[in-house]
Amino acid sequence: MAKPIIDPLAQLTEIRSIMERSSRFISLSGLSGVGAGVVALVGAGIGHWYLQQRYAQEGYSYGGFMRLLQSTAEERLLVLPFLLVLAAGIVGAALAVATFFTVRRARRDGQPVWSALGRRLAISLAIPLVAGGLFCLALFVQGAVGLVVPGMLLFYGLALLNGSKYTLDEIRWLGLTEIGLGLVAVLFPGFGLAFFALGFGLGHIGYGLLMYNRYERGTGSQK
């Protein structure tokens, strides 16, 4: 009886796939990035509309965000509740969308979502994000409004870099992109909302489409 022909390349590919699945959380869906990006764009639009409406009533003709940069401590405290609710809504909606698509892909691929890898990834992301959120809140209260969006981009990029060791390599490049945008945004404090939309909105959408086309479209699974 003839022995079956063993393809060494196929074996190496299978071994590599098994090692990646055991050491990295690879069930992230590109559609999660697209959904989160859309949520960020909507949130930026709502924030722009709110600031425009609020300061237009006071007779200011230039941008609402520019007016916020020159606001007093009392004025900042008046708009802070709305901005906090808006931020919580953006984060909550983005997490809900990301969770939905990630769970759907994990179930389709037969992979657990809340595994040890998933927990390590969540912790690696959460620590810089929580620290960054509190730091940016302090910047706002102290009057450094122009540094809030750059700070958000920088801490988010650092969080992605911190968590990239537990997931796909493309997350690292997204993190570096966010850090680069944050550094550029420092130079243009009056365009904070535009950089927010660019980094959290278009950045996520571009990343999500790239990931979807690379790993999910056609095959529906990680290569």
Side-chain angles (χ1 to χ4, degrees):
M1 183 176 180
K3 295 183 178 180
I5 299 176
I6 299 177
D7 185 352
L9 182 59
Q11 283 189 321
L12 289 175
T13 302
E14 181 64 22
I15 292 172
R16 179 174 178 269
S17 177
I18 293 173
M19 291 179 65
E20 285 185 345
R21 291 177 182 273
S22 62
S23 62
R24 292 192 174 192
F25 185 82
I26 58 176
S27 295
L28 291 176
S29 173
L31 296 179
S32 298
V34 175
V38 172
V39 169
L41 288 177
V42 172
I46 293 174
H48 174 75
W49 173 84
Y50 171 79
L51 293 175
Q52 289 290 101
Q53 294 297 313
R54 180 176 184 85
Y55 292 120
Q57 296 175 0
E58 301 177 11
Y60 294 97
S61 58
Y62 50 88
F65 189 80
M66 289 291 293
R67 174 66 181 85
L68 184 62
L69 294 179
Q70 304 171 13
S71 60
T72 64
E74 182 179 355
E75 290 173 333
R76 290 193 301 274
L77 290 178
L78 289 176
V79 301
L80 182 59
F82 176 84
L83 295 179
L84 287 177
V85 171
L86 178 61
I90 293 173
V91 172
L95 285 176
V97 171
T99 300
F100 172 79
F101 285 112
T102 298
V103 169
R104 189 180 71 167
R105 184 184 177 192
R107 288 177 177 175
R108 183 182 61 199
D109 294 345
Q111 299 295 319
V113 177
W114 197 238
S115 61
L117 276 174
R119 289 191 292 271
R120 285 198 290 268
L121 174 60
I123 293 173
S124 297
L125 292 172
I127 293 174
L129 289 177
V130 172
L134 295 175
F135 181 76
C136 290
L137 178 60
L139 286 177
F140 184 89
V141 172
Q142 294 299 319
V145 179
L147 296 178
V148 172
V149 171
M152 292 169 65
L153 290 168
L154 287 170
F155 275 98
Y156 183 59
L158 291 173
L160 293 177
L161 283 180
N162 195 42
S164 63
K165 57 183 175 288
Y166 298 117
T167 185
L168 301 171
D169 291 334
E170 286 80 1
I171 294 294
R172 180 183 300 110
W173 294 108
L174 178 61
L176 291 173
T177 300
E178 301 290 349
I179 291 174
L181 284 173
L183 293 175
V184 174
V186 173
L187 304 176
F188 304 95
F191 295 89
L193 283 178
F195 278 100
F196 181 94
L198 181 60
F200 294 104
L202 298 182
H204 273 131
I205 292 174
Y207 152 80
L209 292 175
L210 173 66
M211 297 298 295
Y212 180 78
N213 288 325
R214 178 171 295 178
Y215 295 112
E216 298 174 69
R217 187 175 184 180
T219 61
S221 62
Q222 167 79 24
K223 295 181 180 179

